[in-house]
Amino acid sequence: RSSAMADVPYIGCKISLISNSDIRYEGTLYAIDKENATVTLNNVRSYGTEGRRQDGPQIPVQDRVFEFIIFRGSDIKDLHVRKRETAPEPEFHDPAIVSAQEAAPAPAPAARKAPAPAPAPAPASYAAAASHGRSRGGGGGGSVGSGGSGGGWQR
């Protein structure tokens, strides 16, 4: 968001928006782009037409939540500020913090995964090369090779 967005008093407010298609959306106001005449909401739900359409089929509620939707201003029929999202006061005070917003909790995992296997021990050829003073840094950029005697360091 640009610094101009800090001047918009409704950033962070819960917004209810009805498009020219009579579909209602609710989300948090993220940005207003005056140059491109757009409004950006985040954490957006679509509630469908809710009986507003006089002609054509009704659009049902959507189950999914969109992270962001950018609306063209000319296609917005109605927009209302529902409520201001208020962050809880931090448990500490730091004058360096101008603004903070907690992240949404991560969704619970569907199934537990098996723990990752323990890393394999270093090959004996690596240990032998290290004890002879050879290293990857400087002097030709050596790498572990698969040829030669026992897959030792190659230059």
Side-chain angles (χ1 to χ4, degrees):
R1 290 187 282 191
S2 71
S3 62
M5 292 301 109
D7 298 338
V8 179
Y10 299 109
I11 297 295
C13 290
K14 188 74 144 188
I15 300 292
S16 179
L17 178 151
I18 298 176
S19 71
N20 285 341
S21 299
D22 288 319
I23 299 171
R24 182 170 66 94
Y25 299 90
E26 283 195 2
T28 303
L29 182 60
Y30 182 79
I32 296 174
D33 185 336
K34 295 175 186 176
E35 185 176 316
N36 293 313
T38 60
V39 173
T40 303
L41 301 182
N42 74 322
N43 297 324
V44 186
R45 288 200 50 143
S46 170
Y47 290 91
T49 51
E50 301 172 312
R52 277 181 290 279
R53 265 197 188 159
Q54 302 302 315
D55 310 357
Q58 297 295 316
I59 305 296
V61 173
Q62 298 289 313
D63 288 333
R64 63 186 188 191
V65 175
F66 297 90
E67 185 172 356
F68 286 97
I69 296 181
I70 301 173
F71 296 91
R72 187 178 299 115
S74 60
D75 290 329
I76 297 172
K77 184 185 250 184
D78 192 26
L79 187 144
H80 285 88
V81 176
R82 303 294 267 179
K83 66 179 180 178
R84 176 95 177 147
E85 293 285 324
T86 55
E89 288 294 320
E91 294 177 16
F92 60 91
H93 176 72
D94 186 346
I97 298 173
V98 175
S99 177
Q101 181 175 343
E102 289 188 39
R112 292 190 155 215
K113 294 182 180 179
S125 59
Y126 177 79
S131 68
H132 287 90
R134 295 183 187 173
S135 68
R136 289 186 178 184
S143 62
V144 176
S146 58
S149 62
W153 289 88
Q154 293 181 345
R155 291 190 180 241

